[in-house]
Amino acid sequence: MTHRNKLVTTMADASLASLRDVFAKARFQHVPVIDNTNRIVGIVSVKDYFRELSPVMDSASDPTISVFLRSRKVHQVMVSPVITITEHTSVKQAAALLLQHNISCLPVIDEFKHLLGLVSWKDILRAALHKPATA
C-alpha cells in the first residue's frame, strides 16, 4: 500500500487484507491499482471489496475471514481496464464520463499512463457549485 499526497494506491498482487484498514478507517471509496512504474492497471472500490467478502461474511468466523482476505488478491476483484482522464479534461467532460459509464470516480493520468490523482463525482459537484460568478 502506498500513500502519496492523500492518494492511496495498491499493487495487483497485494492481498485484499491490505485494503481492510483503508476502507474501514480512511474512508476512501476507491483505491487505484498501479504497476511498479506507477502506471494504472485497475481500480478497486469498497463495493468490489465487500462483494468479494459477502459470501463468507455471515457464516465464517473472524479467523476464517482473515485467511480468506489474505488468500484473495486485488487483481481478482479490481476493475480493468479503467476509464481515465487527463489533467486537461474539462469538468463537463469528466461529468459526462461518470454518467455515461455509471461510475463514481476517474483516475487522472499523464501521457505515459502514470497516475496523477483521482476525481470523484463529489469533486465534480464541488467544482460545479464553486464556479466563479460571471459579470
Side-chain angles (χ1 to χ4, degrees):
M1 198 73 52
T2 305
H3 300 261
R4 285 187 318 273
N5 299 332
K6 292 189 178 183
L7 181 62
V8 176
T9 61
T10 191
M11 304 289 276
D13 62 347
S15 73
L16 286 185
S18 67
L19 296 176
R20 179 184 291 182
D21 287 343
V22 173
F23 289 139
K25 295 177 185 170
R27 298 186 181 207
F28 290 111
Q29 298 295 308
H30 302 88
V31 176
V33 183
I34 58 171
D35 65 14
N36 58 3
T37 64
N38 196 39
R39 288 190 180 131
I40 189 151
V41 295
I43 194 161
V44 62
S45 72
V46 70
K47 287 180 185 178
D48 301 326
Y49 172 83
F50 280 113
R51 186 179 308 117
E52 187 68 16
L53 186 57
S54 66
V56 297
M57 220 162 145
D58 290 334
S59 60
S61 64
D62 283 345
T64 303
I65 291 171
S66 292
V67 168
F68 177 81
L69 287 174
R70 286 194 307 272
S71 69
R72 300 294 289 168
K73 301 298 180 190
V74 169
H75 70 84
Q76 294 173 298
V77 299
M78 71 182 190
V79 173
S80 182
V82 183
I83 298 163
T84 61
I85 59 174
T86 70
E87 59 190 326
H88 305 293
T89 303
S90 72
V91 171
K92 186 175 181 179
Q93 290 170 316
L97 283 171
L98 291 174
L99 290 172
Q100 177 185 355
H101 296 283
N102 194 28
I103 54 178
S104 55
C105 80
L106 293 162
V108 182
I109 59 170
D110 66 13
E111 64 271 15
F112 303 108
K113 295 189 178 181
H114 295 136
L115 183 65
L116 301 175
L118 280 181
V119 173
S120 72
W121 67 269
K122 289 181 183 179
D123 298 322
I124 301 290
L125 188 56
R126 194 175 296 114
L129 291 174
H130 289 97
K131 281 188 172 182
T134 55

